[in-house]
Amino acid sequence: MSTTDRGLFITLEGPDGSGKSTQAKLLAERLRREGRQVLETAEPGGTRIGQQIRGILLNSANQELRPTTELLLMFAARAQNVEQWILPALEQGQIVVCDRFTDSSIAYQGAGRGLGTDTVLAIDRIACRGLAPDLTLCIDIDTETGLARAHSRNRSNTEKSESRLDEQSVEFHQKARAAYHELARLEPRRFRLIDGSGTPEAVAEKVWSEVAPVVFARPFQ
Ligand code: TYD
């Protein structure tokens, strides 16, 4: 369904602690200021069912969770989000801004866990039914800086134990970041790397300079 008669599907990606969630919010606000209708969503989560799945995935008590289970749960949450929120919003011509999508599974489960891109894409065909982002902004940050930010956020968030994935080894996170770089090399039109090292406002300007031409090329919905 990648035609001009539906809305635009934009995803944000990036290593843990890259600031992509802040960028997703700033982008959605900017699009609304431009008069566009925007659905903001996030993964894993996004729906009530997805939030429950997120609880299993990120609970640091769930150390025995296997890579394949992790992959299937990521896509279970995604399938619910695609059917419940994303496709209906796109059918109404809205712009959907989604904080993480299948590229996260390629990076973390495909590369980080070593399950491979082909396995991830095989599940994607079932769960997403051909839906793919029109544009992806990947907020890039070096692994150590990102993890330091993620860990300090976890420490100040003691009531939630959503840290199982942040706690993985530096090597795991380096593999995920390398997979993002490979996606940028393979799909340069869709998948854009953004240097995430500046202030949030400076990074938001870089994001907007990638998004604006794509949004303004579409008829106003
Ligand atoms: P997120 O809520 O975006 O947290 P953060 O802001 O710390 O990046 O994502 C939670 C974790 O889930 C994060 O470590 C990335 C991981 N993840 C995957 O491993 N695979 C996926 O498909 C998705 C969507 C997320």
Side-chain angles (χ1 to χ4, degrees):
M1 197 178 64
S2 192
T3 56
T4 48
D5 61 354
R6 67 139 165 99
L8 199 61
F9 185 30
I10 301 176
T11 59
L12 274 291
E13 293 286 349
D16 288 48
S18 61
K20 69 178 167 42
S21 304
T22 304
Q23 293 304 321
K25 284 195 189 66
L26 292 173
L27 175 60
E29 281 166 18
R30 178 96 191 228
L31 288 165
R32 288 193 183 106
R33 284 205 302 279
E34 298 289 334
R36 306 289 170 145
Q37 277 205 308
V38 181
L39 173 79
E40 271 176 89
T41 185
E43 298 197 351
T47 64
R48 196 178 64 81
I49 305 279
Q51 279 297 323
Q52 294 173 62
I53 298 171
R54 178 182 175 93
I56 300 171
L57 279 164
L58 301 189
N59 188 337
S60 56
N62 289 340
Q63 292 297 323
E64 73 274 33
L65 198 75
R66 294 293 188 264
T68 303
T69 318
E70 185 177 283
L71 176 68
L72 291 170
L73 287 174
M74 291 292 178
F75 273 104
R78 186 163 300 134
Q80 185 70 28
N81 202 13
V82 165
E83 292 208 22
Q84 191 177 338
W85 291 119
I86 300 175
L87 286 177
L90 291 174
E91 274 155 22
Q92 289 169 16
Q94 295 189 33
I95 298 180
V96 175
V97 175
C98 190
D99 183 349
R100 298 195 181 280
F101 199 66
T102 294
D103 297 311
S104 283
S105 299
I106 292 174
Y108 287 79
Q109 284 67 51
R113 298 290 186 219
L115 293 174
T117 301
D118 289 350
T119 301
V120 176
L121 293 180
I123 315 286
D124 176 79
R125 279 191 285 280
I126 299 167
C128 303
R129 300 190 288 136
L131 176 70
D134 298 295
L135 182 66
T136 299
L137 296 317
C138 180
I139 313 302
D140 189 40
I141 190 152
D142 74 82
T143 307
E144 284 74 13
T145 310
L147 282 180
R149 282 196 203 164
H151 292 158
S152 80
R153 182 182 54 195
N154 288 342
R155 275 195 297 278
S156 57
N157 234 350
T158 41
E159 78 283 4
K160 283 198 196 162
S161 55
E162 282 205 340
S163 54
R164 195 182 59 86
L165 279 149
D166 305 337
E167 286 162 2
Q168 301 303 309
S169 67
V170 173
E171 196 197 3
F172 169 87
H173 288 282
Q174 281 167 341
K175 285 184 193 158
R177 184 176 184 224
Y180 280 137
H181 286 205
E182 180 67 1
L183 281 164
R185 196 182 66 77
L186 293 172
E187 294 185 65
R189 270 180 68 80
R190 173 184 73 88
F191 194 98
R192 317 262 173 96
L193 280 184
I194 309 269
D195 177 1
S197 61
T199 62
E201 293 71 27
V203 177
E205 277 310 312
K206 290 185 214 159
V207 168
W208 185 246
S209 70
E210 300 287 342
V211 172
V214 179
V215 168
F216 294 130
R218 297 256 168 161
F220 204 98
Q221 301 279 351

